[in-house]
Coordinates of all heavy atoms in Angstrom, one line a residue:
M1 N 2.3 63.9 -14.5 CA 2.3 62.6 -14.8 C 2.2 62.4 -16.3 O 1.5 63.0 -17.0 CB 1.0 61.9 -14.1 CG 0.9 60.5 -14.3 SD -0.5 59.9 -13.2 CE -0.8 58.4 -13.8
S2 N 3.0 61.4 -16.8 CA 3.0 61.2 -18.3 C 1.7 60.4 -18.7 O 1.1 59.7 -17.9 CB 4.3 60.5 -18.7 OG 4.2 59.2 -18.2
K3 N 1.4 60.5 -20.0 CA 0.3 59.8 -20.5 C 0.5 58.3 -20.7 O 1.7 57.9 -20.8 CB -0.2 60.4 -21.8 CG -0.6 61.9 -21.6 CD -1.4 62.3 -22.8 CE -1.8 63.7 -22.5 NZ -2.9 64.3 -23.3
L4 N -0.4 57.6 -20.8 CA -0.3 56.1 -20.9 C 0.3 55.7 -22.3 O -0.2 56.3 -23.3 CB -1.7 55.4 -20.8 CG -1.7 53.9 -20.8 CD1 -0.9 53.3 -19.6 CD2 -3.2 53.4 -20.8
I5 N 1.2 54.9 -22.4 CA 1.8 54.5 -23.7 C 0.9 53.3 -24.1 O 0.8 52.3 -23.4 CB 3.3 54.0 -23.5 CG1 4.1 55.3 -23.1 CG2 3.8 53.4 -24.8 CD1 5.5 54.9 -22.9
V6 N 0.5 53.4 -25.4 CA -0.4 52.3 -25.9 C 0.4 51.4 -26.8 O 1.2 51.8 -27.6 CB -1.5 52.9 -26.7 CG1 -2.4 51.9 -27.3 CG2 -2.3 53.9 -25.9
T7 N 0.2 50.1 -26.6 CA 0.9 49.1 -27.4 C -0.2 48.5 -28.4 O -1.2 48.0 -28.0 CB 1.4 47.9 -26.5 OG1 2.3 48.5 -25.6 CG2 2.1 46.9 -27.3
I8 N 0.2 48.5 -29.7 CA -0.7 47.9 -30.7 C 0.0 46.7 -31.4 O 1.1 47.0 -32.0 CB -1.0 49.0 -31.7 CG1 -1.7 50.2 -30.9 CG2 -1.9 48.5 -32.8 CD1 -1.8 51.4 -31.8
P9 N -0.4 45.5 -31.2 CA 0.3 44.4 -31.9 C 0.2 44.4 -33.4 O -0.8 45.0 -34.0 CB -0.5 43.2 -31.3 CG -1.8 43.7 -30.8 CD -1.6 45.1 -30.5
T10 N 1.1 43.9 -34.1 CA 1.2 43.8 -35.5 C 1.5 42.3 -35.9 O 1.8 41.6 -35.1 CB 2.3 44.7 -36.1 OG1 3.5 44.1 -35.8 CG2 2.2 46.2 -35.6
D11 N 1.2 42.1 -37.2 CA 1.7 40.8 -37.7 C 3.1 40.7 -38.2 O 3.6 39.7 -38.7 CB 0.7 40.4 -38.9 CG -0.7 40.2 -38.4 OD1 -0.9 39.8 -37.3 OD2 -1.6 40.3 -39.2
W12 N 3.7 41.8 -38.2 CA 5.1 41.9 -38.7 C 6.1 41.2 -37.9 O 6.1 41.2 -36.7 CB 5.6 43.4 -38.8 CG 4.6 44.2 -39.5 CD1 3.8 43.9 -40.7 CD2 4.3 45.6 -39.2 NE1 3.1 45.0 -41.0 CE2 3.4 46.0 -40.2 CE3 4.8 46.5 -38.3 CZ2 2.8 47.3 -40.2 CZ3 4.3 47.8 -38.3 CH2 3.3 48.2 -39.2
T13 N 7.0 40.5 -38.6 CA 8.1 39.8 -38.0 C 9.4 40.4 -38.4 O 10.5 40.1 -37.8 CB 8.1 38.3 -38.3 OG1 8.3 38.1 -39.7 CG2 6.8 37.6 -37.8
Q14 N 9.4 41.3 -39.4 CA 10.6 41.9 -39.9 C 10.3 43.2 -40.5 O 9.2 43.5 -41.0 CB 11.1 41.0 -41.0 CG 12.6 41.1 -41.3 CD 13.0 39.7 -42.0 OE1 12.3 38.9 -42.3 NE2 14.3 39.8 -42.4
I15 N 11.2 44.2 -40.3 CA 11.1 45.5 -40.9 C 12.3 45.9 -41.7 O 13.4 45.5 -41.4 CB 10.9 46.6 -39.8 CG1 9.6 46.4 -39.0 CG2 11.0 47.9 -40.4 CD1 9.4 47.3 -37.9
V16 N 12.0 46.3 -42.9 CA 13.1 46.7 -43.8 C 13.0 48.2 -44.1 O 11.9 48.6 -44.6 CB 13.0 45.9 -45.2 CG1 14.1 46.5 -46.1 CG2 13.2 44.5 -45.0
L17 N 14.1 48.9 -43.8 CA 14.0 50.3 -44.0 C 14.8 50.6 -45.4 O 15.9 50.1 -45.6 CB 14.7 51.1 -43.0 CG 14.2 50.9 -41.6 CD1 15.1 51.7 -40.6 CD2 12.8 51.4 -41.5
A18 N 14.2 51.3 -46.3 CA 14.8 51.5 -47.6 C 14.9 53.1 -47.8 O 13.9 53.8 -47.6 CB 14.0 50.9 -48.8
C19 N 16.1 53.6 -48.3 CA 16.2 55.0 -48.4 C 15.4 55.5 -49.6 O 15.6 55.0 -50.8 CB 17.7 55.3 -48.7 SG 18.0 57.0 -49.2
K20 N 14.6 56.4 -49.4 CA 13.7 56.9 -50.5 C 14.5 57.8 -51.5 O 14.2 57.8 -52.6 CB 12.5 57.7 -49.9 CG 11.5 58.2 -50.7 CD 10.4 58.9 -49.9 CE 9.1 59.0 -50.7 NZ 8.0 59.5 -49.9
K21 N 15.5 58.5 -50.9 CA 16.3 59.4 -51.7 C 17.1 58.6 -52.7 O 17.2 59.0 -53.9 CB 17.2 60.2 -50.9 CG 17.9 61.3 -51.6 CD 18.7 62.2 -50.6 CE 19.5 63.3 -51.3 NZ 20.3 64.1 -50.4
C22 N 17.7 57.5 -52.3 CA 18.4 56.6 -53.2 C 17.5 56.2 -54.3 O 17.9 56.1 -55.5 CB 19.0 55.3 -52.5 SG 20.3 55.6 -51.4
S23 N 16.4 55.7 -54.0 CA 15.3 55.2 -55.0 C 14.9 56.3 -56.0 O 14.9 56.0 -57.2 CB 14.0 54.8 -54.3 OG 14.4 53.6 -53.5
K24 N 14.8 57.5 -55.5 CA 14.4 58.6 -56.3 C 15.6 58.9 -57.3 O 15.3 59.2 -58.4 CB 14.1 59.8 -55.4 CG 13.3 60.9 -56.1 CD 12.9 61.9 -55.1 CE 11.9 62.9 -55.6 NZ 11.4 63.8 -54.7
K25 N 16.8 58.8 -56.9 CA 17.9 59.2 -57.7 C 18.0 58.1 -58.8 O 18.5 58.4 -59.9 CB 19.3 59.2 -57.0 CG 19.3 60.4 -56.1 CD 20.7 60.6 -55.6 CE 21.1 59.7 -54.4 NZ 22.4 59.9 -53.8
L26 N 17.6 56.9 -58.6 CA 17.8 55.8 -59.6 C 16.7 55.8 -60.6 O 16.9 55.2 -61.8 CB 17.8 54.5 -59.0 CG 19.0 54.0 -58.4 CD1 18.9 52.5 -57.7 CD2 20.2 53.9 -59.4
H27 N 15.5 56.3 -60.4 CA 14.4 56.4 -61.4 C 14.1 54.9 -61.7 O 14.0 54.6 -62.9 CB 14.7 57.2 -62.6 CG 15.0 58.6 -62.2 ND1 14.0 59.5 -61.8 CD2 16.1 59.3 -62.2 CE1 14.5 60.7 -61.6 NE2 15.8 60.6 -61.8
G28 N 13.9 54.0 -60.8 CA 13.6 52.6 -61.1 C 14.8 51.8 -60.9 O 15.5 52.0 -59.8
G29 N 15.0 50.8 -61.7 CA 16.2 50.0 -61.6 C 16.0 48.6 -61.1 O 16.9 47.8 -61.1
F30 N 14.7 48.4 -60.7 CA 14.4 47.0 -60.1 C 13.2 46.5 -60.8 O 12.5 47.2 -61.5 CB 14.3 47.1 -58.6 CG 15.6 47.6 -58.0 CD1 15.8 48.9 -57.7 CD2 16.6 46.6 -57.6 CE1 17.0 49.3 -57.1 CE2 17.7 47.1 -57.0 CZ 18.0 48.4 -56.7
G31 N 12.9 45.3 -60.4 CA 11.7 44.6 -61.0 C 12.0 44.0 -62.3 O 13.1 44.2 -62.9
P32 N 11.0 43.2 -62.9 CA 11.3 42.5 -64.1 C 11.6 43.4 -65.3 O 12.4 43.0 -66.2 CB 10.0 41.8 -64.4 CG 9.1 41.9 -63.2 CD 9.7 42.9 -62.3
E33 N 11.0 44.5 -65.4 CA 11.3 45.5 -66.5 C 12.3 46.5 -66.1 O 12.8 47.3 -67.0 CB 10.0 46.2 -66.8 CG 8.8 45.3 -67.1 CD 9.0 44.5 -68.4 OE1 9.5 44.9 -69.3 OE2 8.4 43.4 -68.3
G34 N 12.8 46.5 -64.9 CA 13.8 47.5 -64.4 C 13.2 48.9 -64.2 O 14.0 49.8 -64.2
D35 N 11.9 48.9 -64.1 CA 11.3 50.3 -64.0 C 10.7 50.6 -62.7 O 10.0 51.6 -62.5 CB 10.3 50.5 -65.1 CG 9.2 49.5 -65.1 OD1 9.3 48.5 -64.3 OD2 8.1 49.7 -65.7
Q36 N 10.9 49.7 -61.7 CA 10.3 49.9 -60.4 C 11.4 50.3 -59.4 O 12.5 50.0 -59.5 CB 9.7 48.5 -59.9 CG 8.5 48.1 -60.7 CD 8.0 46.8 -60.1 OE1 8.6 46.0 -59.7 NE2 6.6 46.7 -60.1
S37 N 10.9 51.1 -58.3 CA 11.8 51.4 -57.3 C 12.0 50.2 -56.5 O 11.3 49.2 -56.6 CB 11.2 52.5 -56.4 OG 10.0 52.0 -55.7
L38 N 13.1 50.1 -55.6 CA 13.4 48.9 -54.9 C 12.2 48.6 -53.9 O 11.8 47.4 -53.8 CB 14.7 49.0 -54.2 CG 15.1 47.9 -53.3 CD1 15.1 46.5 -54.1 CD2 16.4 48.1 -52.6
P39 N 11.7 49.6 -53.2 CA 10.6 49.3 -52.3 C 9.4 48.7 -53.0 O 8.8 47.7 -52.5 CB 10.3 50.6 -51.6 CG 11.5 51.4 -51.7 CD 12.2 51.0 -53.0
R40 N 9.1 49.3 -54.2 CA 7.9 48.8 -54.9 C 8.2 47.3 -55.4 O 7.3 46.5 -55.3 CB 7.7 49.7 -56.1 CG 6.7 49.2 -57.1 CD 5.2 49.0 -56.6 NE 4.7 50.0 -55.7 CZ 4.0 49.8 -54.7 NH1 3.5 48.6 -54.5 NH2 3.6 50.8 -53.9
A41 N 9.3 47.1 -56.0 CA 9.7 45.7 -56.4 C 9.7 44.8 -55.3 O 9.2 43.6 -55.5 CB 11.0 45.7 -57.2
L42 N 10.2 45.2 -54.2 CA 10.3 44.3 -52.9 C 8.8 44.0 -52.5 O 8.6 42.8 -52.2 CB 11.1 45.1 -51.8 CG 11.5 44.3 -50.7 CD1 12.4 43.1 -51.1 CD2 12.4 45.2 -49.8
K43 N 8.0 44.9 -52.4 CA 6.6 44.7 -52.0 C 5.9 43.8 -53.0 O 5.2 42.8 -52.6 CB 5.8 46.0 -51.9 CG 6.3 46.8 -50.7 CD 5.6 48.2 -50.8 CE 6.1 49.1 -49.6 NZ 5.5 50.4 -49.7
T44 N 6.1 43.9 -54.3 CA 5.5 43.0 -55.3 C 6.0 41.6 -55.1 O 5.2 40.6 -55.1 CB 5.9 43.5 -56.6 OG1 5.4 44.9 -56.8 CG2 5.3 42.7 -57.8
E45 N 7.3 41.4 -54.9 CA 7.8 40.1 -54.7 C 7.3 39.5 -53.4 O 7.0 38.3 -53.4 CB 9.4 40.1 -54.7 CG 10.0 38.8 -54.6 CD 10.0 38.0 -56.0 OE1 9.6 38.5 -57.0 OE2 10.3 36.8 -55.9
L46 N 7.3 40.3 -52.4 CA 6.7 39.8 -51.1 C 5.3 39.3 -51.2 O 4.9 38.2 -50.7 CB 6.9 40.8 -50.0 CG 8.3 41.1 -49.5 CD1 8.2 42.4 -48.6 CD2 8.8 40.0 -48.7
R47 N 4.6 40.1 -52.0 CA 3.1 39.7 -52.2 C 3.1 38.4 -53.0 O 2.3 37.5 -52.6 CB 2.4 40.8 -53.0 CG 0.9 40.7 -53.0 CD 0.3 41.9 -53.5 NE 0.4 43.1 -52.7 CZ 1.1 44.2 -53.0 NH1 1.7 44.3 -54.2 NH2 1.2 45.1 -52.2
A48 N 3.9 38.2 -53.9 CA 3.9 37.0 -54.8 C 4.4 35.8 -54.1 O 4.0 34.7 -54.4 CB 4.8 37.2 -56.0
T49 N 5.1 36.0 -53.0 CA 5.6 34.8 -52.2 C 4.9 34.6 -50.9 O 5.3 33.8 -50.1 CB 7.2 35.0 -51.9 OG1 7.4 36.3 -51.2 CG2 8.0 34.9 -53.1
G50 N 3.9 35.4 -50.7 CA 3.0 35.3 -49.5 C 3.7 35.8 -48.2 O 3.2 35.5 -47.2
R51 N 4.6 36.7 -48.3 CA 5.3 37.2 -47.2 C 5.0 38.8 -47.0 O 5.6 39.4 -46.1 CB 6.8 37.0 -47.3 CG 7.3 35.6 -47.4 CD 8.7 35.4 -47.6 NE 9.6 36.0 -46.6 CZ 10.9 36.1 -46.7 NH1 11.5 35.9 -47.8 NH2 11.6 36.6 -45.7
R52 N 4.0 39.2 -47.7 CA 3.7 40.7 -47.6 C 3.3 41.1 -46.3 O 3.6 42.2 -45.8 CB 2.7 41.0 -48.7 CG 2.3 42.5 -48.8 CD 3.5 43.4 -49.4 NE 3.1 44.8 -49.4 CZ 3.4 45.6 -48.5 NH1 4.1 45.3 -47.4 NH2 2.9 46.9 -48.5
R53 N 2.6 40.3 -45.5 CA 2.0 40.7 -44.2 C 3.1 40.5 -43.2 O 2.9 41.1 -42.1 CB 0.8 39.7 -43.9 CG -0.4 40.1 -44.8 CD -1.1 41.3 -44.2 NE -2.2 41.6 -45.2 CZ -2.6 42.9 -45.3 NH1 -2.1 43.8 -44.6 NH2 -3.6 43.2 -46.2
S54 N 4.1 39.8 -43.3 CA 5.1 39.5 -42.3 C 6.3 40.4 -42.4 O 7.0 40.7 -41.4 CB 5.6 38.1 -42.3 OG 6.2 37.8 -43.5
I55 N 6.5 41.0 -43.5 CA 7.7 41.9 -43.6 C 7.2 43.3 -44.0 O 6.4 43.5 -45.0 CB 8.7 41.5 -44.7 CG1 9.3 40.1 -44.4 CG2 9.8 42.5 -44.9 CD1 10.3 39.6 -45.3
R56 N 7.5 44.3 -43.2 CA 7.0 45.7 -43.5 C 8.3 46.4 -44.2 O 9.4 46.4 -43.6 CB 6.6 46.3 -42.2 CG 6.4 47.8 -42.3 CD 4.9 48.0 -42.7 NE 4.5 49.4 -42.3 CZ 4.0 50.2 -43.1 NH1 3.6 49.8 -44.4 NH2 3.6 51.4 -42.8
V57 N 8.0 47.0 -45.3 CA 9.0 47.8 -45.9 C 8.7 49.3 -45.8 O 7.5 49.7 -46.1 CB 8.9 47.5 -47.5 CG1 10.0 48.3 -48.2 CG2 9.3 46.0 -47.7
I58 N 9.6 50.0 -45.1 CA 9.3 51.4 -44.8 C 10.4 52.2 -45.6 O 11.6 52.1 -45.5 CB 9.4 51.6 -43.3 CG1 8.3 50.8 -42.6 CG2 9.3 53.1 -43.0 CD1 8.5 50.8 -41.1
E59 N 9.9 53.2 -46.3 CA 10.8 54.1 -47.0 C 11.2 55.3 -46.0 O 10.4 55.9 -45.2 CB 10.2 54.8 -48.2 CG 9.9 53.7 -49.4 CD 9.5 54.3 -50.6 OE1 10.4 54.8 -51.4 OE2 8.3 54.3 -50.8
T60 N 12.6 55.5 -45.9 CA 13.1 56.5 -45.0 C 13.8 57.6 -45.7 O 14.0 57.6 -46.9 CB 14.1 55.9 -44.0 OG1 15.2 55.6 -44.8 CG2 13.5 54.7 -43.3
K61 N 14.1 58.6 -44.9 CA 15.1 59.6 -45.5 C 16.4 59.1 -45.6 O 16.6 57.9 -45.3 CB 15.1 60.9 -44.6 CG 13.7 61.6 -44.5 CD 13.8 62.8 -43.7 CE 12.4 63.5 -43.8 NZ 12.4 64.8 -43.1
C62 N 17.4 59.9 -46.0 CA 18.8 59.4 -46.3 C 19.3 58.7 -45.0 O 19.2 59.2 -43.9 CB 19.7 60.6 -46.6 SG 21.4 60.1 -46.8
L63 N 19.9 57.5 -45.2 CA 20.4 56.7 -44.2 C 22.0 57.1 -43.9 O 22.6 56.5 -43.1 CB 20.3 55.3 -44.3 CG 18.8 54.8 -44.3 CD1 18.7 53.4 -44.9 CD2 18.3 54.8 -42.9
G64 N 22.5 57.9 -44.8 CA 23.9 58.4 -44.7 C 24.9 57.6 -45.5 O 26.1 58.0 -45.4
L65 N 24.6 56.5 -46.1 CA 25.5 55.8 -46.9 C 25.7 56.3 -48.3 O 26.8 56.4 -48.8 CB 25.1 54.3 -47.0 CG 26.1 53.3 -47.5 CD1 27.4 53.3 -46.6 CD2 25.5 51.9 -47.5
C66 N 24.6 56.7 -48.9 CA 24.6 57.4 -50.2 C 25.4 56.7 -51.3 O 26.4 57.3 -51.9 CB 25.0 58.8 -50.1 SG 24.1 59.6 -48.8
P67 N 25.1 55.4 -51.7 CA 25.9 54.7 -52.7 C 25.4 55.2 -54.1 O 24.4 55.8 -54.2 CB 25.4 53.3 -52.5 CG 24.0 53.3 -52.0 CD 24.0 54.5 -51.0
K68 N 26.4 55.1 -55.1 CA 26.1 55.4 -56.4 C 25.4 54.2 -57.1 O 25.9 53.1 -57.0 CB 27.3 55.8 -57.2 CG 28.0 57.1 -56.7 CD 28.8 57.8 -57.7 CE 29.6 59.0 -57.4 NZ 28.8 60.0 -56.6
N69 N 24.4 54.4 -57.9 CA 23.7 53.4 -58.7 C 23.2 52.2 -57.7 O 23.3 51.1 -58.1 CB 24.5 52.9 -59.8 CG 24.8 54.0 -60.8 OD1 23.8 54.7 -61.1 ND2 26.0 54.1 -61.2
A70 N 22.8 52.6 -56.5 CA 22.3 51.6 -55.6 C 21.4 52.2 -54.6 O 21.3 53.5 -54.5 CB 23.5 50.9 -54.8
V71 N 20.7 51.4 -53.8 CA 19.7 51.8 -52.8 C 20.2 51.2 -51.4 O 20.4 50.0 -51.4 CB 18.3 51.3 -53.1 CG1 17.3 51.8 -52.0 CG2 17.8 51.9 -54.5
T72 N 20.3 52.1 -50.5 CA 20.7 51.6 -49.1 C 19.4 51.1 -48.4 O 18.3 51.7 -48.4 CB 21.2 52.8 -48.3 OG1 22.3 53.4 -49.0 CG2 21.7 52.4 -46.9
I73 N 19.6 49.9 -47.8 CA 18.5 49.3 -47.0 C 19.1 49.0 -45.6 O 20.3 48.7 -45.6 CB 17.7 48.1 -47.6 CG1 18.6 46.9 -47.7 CG2 17.1 48.5 -49.0 CD1 17.8 45.7 -47.9
L74 N 18.2 48.8 -44.7 CA 18.6 48.3 -43.4 C 17.6 47.3 -42.9 O 16.4 47.6 -42.9 CB 18.6 49.5 -42.4 CG 19.0 49.2 -40.9 CD1 20.5 48.8 -40.9 CD2 18.8 50.4 -40.1
D75 N 18.1 46.1 -42.6 CA 17.2 45.0 -42.1 C 17.1 45.3 -40.5 O 18.0 45.3 -39.8 CB 17.9 43.7 -42.3 CG 17.1 42.5 -41.7 OD1 16.1 42.8 -41.0 OD2 17.5 41.4 -41.9
G76 N 15.8 45.6 -40.2 CA 15.6 45.9 -38.8 C 16.0 44.8 -37.8 O 16.3 45.1 -36.6
N77 N 16.1 43.6 -38.2 CA 16.6 42.5 -37.3 C 18.1 42.5 -37.3 O 18.7 41.6 -36.5 CB 16.0 41.1 -37.8 CG 14.5 41.1 -37.5 OD1 14.1 41.7 -36.6 ND2 13.8 40.4 -38.4
A78 N 18.8 43.3 -38.2 CA 20.3 43.2 -38.1 C 20.7 44.7 -38.3 O 21.3 45.0 -39.3 CB 20.8 42.4 -39.3
P79 N 20.5 45.6 -37.3 CA 20.8 46.9 -37.5 C 22.3 47.3 -37.5 O 22.7 48.4 -37.6 CB 20.1 47.6 -36.2 CG 20.0 46.5 -35.2 CD 19.9 45.2 -36.1
G80 N 23.1 46.3 -37.3 CA 24.6 46.5 -37.2 C 25.2 46.7 -38.6 O 26.3 47.0 -38.7
A81 N 24.4 46.4 -39.8 CA 25.0 46.6 -41.1 C 23.9 47.2 -42.1 O 22.8 46.7 -42.0 CB 25.5 45.4 -41.5
M82 N 24.3 48.1 -42.9 CA 23.4 48.5 -43.9 C 23.9 47.8 -45.2 O 25.0 47.5 -45.4 CB 23.5 50.0 -44.1 CG 23.0 50.9 -43.0 SD 22.8 52.6 -43.3 CE 24.5 53.1 -43.0
L83 N 22.9 47.6 -46.1 CA 23.2 47.0 -47.5 C 23.0 48.0 -48.5 O 22.0 48.8 -48.6 CB 22.2 45.8 -47.6 CG 22.2 44.7 -46.6 CD1 21.1 43.7 -46.9 CD2 23.5 44.0 -46.5
A84 N 23.9 48.1 -49.4 CA 23.8 48.9 -50.7 C 23.4 47.9 -51.8 O 24.2 47.0 -52.3 CB 25.1 49.6 -51.0
I85 N 22.2 48.0 -52.3 CA 21.6 47.1 -53.2 C 21.8 47.7 -54.6 O 21.1 48.7 -55.0 CB 20.1 46.8 -53.0 CG1 19.9 46.4 -51.5 CG2 19.6 45.7 -53.9 CD1 20.7 45.2 -51.0
P86 N 22.7 47.2 -55.4 CA 22.9 47.8 -56.9 C 21.6 47.7 -57.7 O 20.9 46.7 -57.6 CB 24.1 46.9 -57.4 CG 24.6 46.2 -56.3 CD 23.5 46.0 -55.3
A87 N 21.5 48.7 -58.5 CA 20.3 48.6 -59.5 C 20.5 47.4 -60.3 O 21.6 47.0 -60.7 CB 20.4 49.9 -60.4
G88 N 19.4 46.7 -60.6 CA 19.4 45.5 -61.4 C 19.5 44.3 -60.6 O 19.3 43.2 -61.2
T89 N 19.7 44.4 -59.3 CA 19.7 43.2 -58.5 C 18.4 42.5 -58.5 O 17.3 43.2 -58.4 CB 20.1 43.6 -57.0 OG1 21.4 44.2 -57.0 CG2 20.1 42.4 -56.1
L90 N 18.3 41.1 -58.5 CA 17.1 40.4 -58.5 C 16.6 40.5 -57.1 O 17.3 40.2 -56.2 CB 17.3 39.0 -58.9 CG 17.7 38.8 -60.4 CD1 17.9 37.3 -60.6 CD2 16.6 39.3 -61.4
V91 N 15.3 41.0 -57.0 CA 14.7 41.1 -55.7 C 14.7 39.7 -55.0 O 14.8 39.6 -53.7 CB 13.3 41.7 -55.8 CG1 12.6 41.8 -54.4 CG2 13.5 43.1 -56.4
A92 N 14.5 38.6 -55.7 CA 14.5 37.3 -55.0 C 15.8 37.1 -54.4 O 15.9 36.4 -53.3 CB 14.3 36.2 -56.1
D93 N 16.9 37.5 -54.9 CA 18.3 37.4 -54.3 C 18.3 38.2 -53.0 O 18.9 37.8 -52.0 CB 19.4 37.9 -55.2 CG 19.6 37.0 -56.4 OD1 19.1 35.8 -56.4 OD2 20.2 37.4 -57.4
L94 N 17.7 39.4 -53.0 CA 17.7 40.2 -51.8 C 16.9 39.5 -50.7 O 17.2 39.5 -49.6 CB 17.1 41.6 -52.2 CG 16.8 42.5 -50.9 CD1 18.0 42.7 -50.1 CD2 16.2 43.8 -51.4
L95 N 15.7 38.9 -51.1 CA 14.8 38.2 -50.2 C 15.5 37.0 -49.6 O 15.3 36.7 -48.4 CB 13.5 37.9 -50.8 CG 12.5 39.0 -50.9 CD1 11.2 38.5 -51.6 CD2 12.2 39.7 -49.6
A96 N 16.4 36.4 -50.3 CA 17.2 35.3 -49.8 C 18.0 35.7 -48.6 O 18.4 34.9 -47.7 CB 18.0 34.6 -50.9
R97 N 18.4 37.0 -48.6 CA 19.2 37.5 -47.4 C 18.3 37.9 -46.3 O 18.9 38.3 -45.3 CB 20.0 38.7 -47.9 CG 21.1 38.5 -48.9 CD 22.0 39.6 -49.2 NE 22.7 40.0 -47.9 CZ 24.0 40.3 -47.8 NH1 24.7 40.3 -48.9 NH2 24.5 40.6 -46.6
L98 N 17.0 37.9 -46.5 CA 16.1 38.3 -45.4 C 15.3 37.0 -45.1 O 14.1 37.0 -45.5 CB 15.3 39.5 -45.8 CG 15.9 40.7 -46.3 CD1 14.8 41.6 -46.9 CD2 16.5 41.3 -45.2
P99 N 15.9 36.0 -44.5 CA 15.1 34.8 -44.2 C 13.8 35.0 -43.3 O 13.9 35.9 -42.5 CB 16.2 34.0 -43.5 CG 17.1 34.9 -42.9 CD 17.1 36.0 -43.8
P100 N 12.8 34.2 -43.6 CA 11.6 34.4 -42.8 C 11.9 34.1 -41.3 O 12.7 33.3 -41.0 CB 10.7 33.2 -43.3 CG 11.3 32.9 -44.6 CD 12.7 33.2 -44.6
R101 N 11.3 35.0 -40.5 CA 11.5 34.9 -39.0 C 10.2 34.2 -38.5 O 9.1 34.4 -39.0 CB 11.6 36.3 -38.4 CG 12.7 37.2 -39.0 CD 13.9 37.1 -38.4 NE 14.9 38.0 -39.0 CZ 16.1 37.7 -39.3 NH1 16.7 36.6 -39.0 NH2 16.9 38.7 -39.9
P102 N 10.4 33.5 -37.3 CA 9.2 32.9 -36.8 C 8.2 33.9 -36.3 O 8.5 35.0 -36.0 CB 9.8 32.1 -35.6 CG 11.1 32.5 -35.3 CD 11.5 33.3 -36.6
Ligands
FES1 S1 20.7 59.1 -50.4 FE1 20.2 57.0 -49.8 S2 21.5 56.7 -48.1 FE2 21.8 58.7 -48.6

């Protein structure tokens, strides 16, 4: 007999997967000074806009796209397409593509 599967509720309404390897290769590239990784800059912007608790940013291993001078992300609510975010992209522009979910 298998063990009981436990369900733990969260406040998240959205999950964003960001490739850690892409971020590491860029050595920054995002944020106001251009010295933050995309996940760090995204979390900072989410905190500033009051959405930090509703969107979970998770760094993953390589997602297989491996763009040059960009970071691959995947919106958990739209798994049919990955996004390659070029270094220097304003995080606010990225968040505009991730509209708040109810
Ligand atoms: S290194 Fe980031 S998708 Fe492969």
